Amino acid sequence: MKFFHIADVHLGATPDKGFPWSYDRGREIWESFQNVIRQAGRENVGLFLIAGDLFHRQPLLKELKEVNALFASIPNTKIVLIAGNHDYIKENSFYKKISWAKNVFWLSKEELSYVDFADLGVRVYGFSYHSREILEARYNQMQISSPMPVNILLAHGGDETHIPISGDTFLYTPFDYVALGHIHKPQVLQKNKVIYAGSLEPLDKNETGAHGYIKGEIRKKEIYTEFVPSSIREYRTVSIQVGKDTTQFSLENEIRKAIGEQGEEHLYTILLEGKKPVHTEFFTDAFYKLGNVREIEDKTTMAYSKEQLKENYKGSIMEAYLALFEKEERTEEMEKAFQYGVEALLESGEELL
């Protein structure tokens, strides 16, 4: 029997507000969700698990109807879902007013409950959020009675305010598989057993790398899983090396080339590294026009030797300036300010002496 495990879809989110692609990203989150539903139908998946935060906020009734229609389009697949901290069940939530399709099983209670699928030999446990935060480590030492041949837990949490999870929370778990949600980067806590699916689509610049869903198969009570990349876009960081011969023109060409090679659909942070010649500044605003560039990080330093500067400018303001900063434990911002100061002094020429 095949199963899919997804989490943190965040329907209704519009990542990167203010950027040209933001509206498209909101639409693409829906499209990505539709794609995985269709894929489940094509593969005749028996069980489809959604580990919380299907929506980014309280769902509208029309949105729930749209989702329900998608679920109903794969009637042979049993869909089990819980609410997470973003789409928690409020008193007046439209979650309470939707009549789900026959193949949808909604674990809506605050307490642990389950649904049995005798034909599959599977029982799925879970509980939903009814508030934004749950401080209690509710998954610690969780026990079950009268288990089915295969027992699965739908779980959502992993930080201090959303059901803390430690390294040993699921170390001796009685569940055969724990389908986790809340952490947006996919990660395996125990191979084939305790897994964060991650978000279907990345939602901010820190969620770099591939995103998608977990595809699993149950064979004679043994579970085998694999991560399936499926996101429409990724956040990527491109490192560009700067040297003594680098110009604005050559730098723009390097960035354009890197984006072309990695995929123009992706969203980029451009990281400038290396040493640039003294008196050289780049017009970084121009880089945003070269593709889906979200951020520029200039980590370059000026190509000068502090020891050589000390030697060349003994008894000058420069020597005093260098001595002043040597006493400071510099942050990245202070280092950049220090470099600007050196360059300003160098530009003053004869006034240094």
Side-chain angles (χ1 to χ4, degrees):
M1 192 271 294
K2 289 182 182 179
F3 68 87
F4 280 9
H5 161 203
I6 69 170
D8 302 287
V9 182
H10 287 274
L11 297 172
T14 52
D16 294 341
K17 285 185 179 179
F19 287 88
W21 56 82
S22 181
Y23 174 80
D24 288 339
R25 289 303 290 144
R27 177 183 52 79
E28 288 165 358
I29 289 171
W30 276 92
E31 185 179 336
S32 191
F33 177 60
Q34 292 166 358
N35 289 342
V36 74
I37 292 289
R38 294 190 187 101
Q39 188 62 27
R42 282 191 291 266
E43 295 193 32
N44 196 29
V45 168
L47 193 60
F48 195 104
L49 307 169
I50 304 175
D53 283 354
L54 176 58
F55 289 91
H56 187 60
R57 33 79 181 143
Q58 292 296 307
L60 302 175
L61 187 57
K62 65 178 181 179
E63 293 172 327
L64 283 170
K65 288 180 178 179
E66 186 71 26
V67 165
N68 198 31
L70 285 168
F71 290 160
S73 71
I74 51 172
N76 296 325
T77 299
K78 296 172 174 65
I79 298 165
V80 189
L81 70 157
I82 59 173
N85 59 293
H86 276 266
D87 58 354
Y88 69 97
I89 304 174
K90 293 177 67 173
E91 183 61 35
N92 59 348
S93 174
F94 284 117
Y95 269 139
K96 296 183 176 182
K97 299 181 180 180
I98 188 72
S99 295
W100 292 110
K102 292 181 180 179
N103 62 321
V104 179
F105 301 86
W106 174 223
L107 299 178
S108 61
K109 295 180 180 179
E110 286 187 83
E111 303 79 29
L112 188 69
S113 61
Y114 61 82
V115 57
D116 282 342
F117 303 109
D119 56 329
L120 302 177
V122 174
R123 176 177 290 173
V124 181
Y125 293 79
F127 59 83
S128 287
Y129 279 66
H130 284 244
S131 60
R132 285 190 179 92
E133 296 182 351
I134 300 178
L135 306 183
E136 180 188 359
R138 293 189 60 187
Y139 298 125
N140 285 10
Q141 300 178 333
M142 189 173 278
Q143 298 299 317
I144 57 176
S145 59
S146 304
M148 292 277 279
V150 174
N151 298 275
I152 294 174
L153 174 66
L154 270 180
H156 190 93
D159 62 38
E160 290 183 359
T161 56
H162 305 100
I163 311 183
I165 293 173
S166 64
D168 59 357
T169 295
F170 298 111
L171 192 58
Y172 303 107
T173 181
F175 299 100
D176 300 285
Y177 183 73
V178 180
L180 284 166
H182 186 62
I183 304 302
H184 288 186
K185 285 194 175 185
Q187 51 188 289
V188 177
L189 303 189
Q190 292 182 42
K191 185 178 179 181
N192 293 326
K193 189 164 186 174
V194 184
I195 300 175
Y196 279 103
S199 55
L200 267 184
E201 289 286 329
L203 301 172
D204 70 43
K205 65 175 184 176
N206 297 315
E207 297 176 17
T208 54
H211 284 251
Y213 60 94
I214 301 298
K215 180 164 71 172
E217 190 170 347
I218 303 172
R219 306 180 210 145
K220 297 180 180 179
K221 293 184 60 176
E222 293 293 324
I223 294 179
Y224 304 89
T225 62
E226 64 175 306
F227 173 73
V228 181
S230 66
S231 64
I232 294 170
R233 307 199 205 202
E234 295 178 13
Y235 288 97
R236 296 189 173 186
T237 299
V238 170
S239 297
I240 304 292
Q241 287 298 314
V242 172
K244 61 184 179 66
D245 297 322
T246 302
T247 65
Q248 179 80 20
F249 178 73
S250 67
L251 197 51
E252 288 183 18
N253 280 342
E254 282 296 311
I255 293 171
R256 191 180 288 110
K257 178 183 176 184
I259 290 174
E261 290 175 348
Q262 294 202 31
E264 295 182 359
E265 73 276 14
H266 298 307
L267 309 169
Y268 291 94
T269 294
I270 305 299
L271 179 61
L272 304 180
E273 298 179 304
K275 294 185 178 293
K276 61 186 177 185
V278 175
H279 309 313
T280 298
E281 281 297 328
F282 299 115
F283 180 55
T284 57
D285 283 355
F287 302 155
Y288 289 96
K289 301 176 183 178
L290 303 177
N292 295 326
V293 177
R294 194 190 183 286
E295 190 172 13
I296 309 293
E297 293 187 16
D298 188 353
K299 302 289 186 181
T300 58
T301 57
M302 286 182 288
Y304 60 78
S305 163
K306 293 177 185 178
E307 295 305 318
Q308 190 63 51
L309 288 175
K310 286 181 186 177
E311 183 66 27
N312 291 348
Y313 295 100
K314 280 185 177 179
S316 70
I317 297 174
M318 176 68 81
E319 184 181 36
Y321 181 76
L322 294 173
L324 175 65
F325 270 85
E326 278 182 348
K327 299 175 183 178
E328 298 284 345
E329 184 175 336
R330 296 199 292 272
T331 64
E332 184 178 318
E333 290 75 15
M334 290 177 66
E335 178 65 28
K336 186 65 71 174
F338 168 71
Q339 293 172 18
Y340 287 144
V342 169
E343 187 160 354
L345 288 171
L346 288 171
E347 286 177 348
S348 68
E350 294 179 359
E351 297 175 15
L352 277 171
L353 302 174

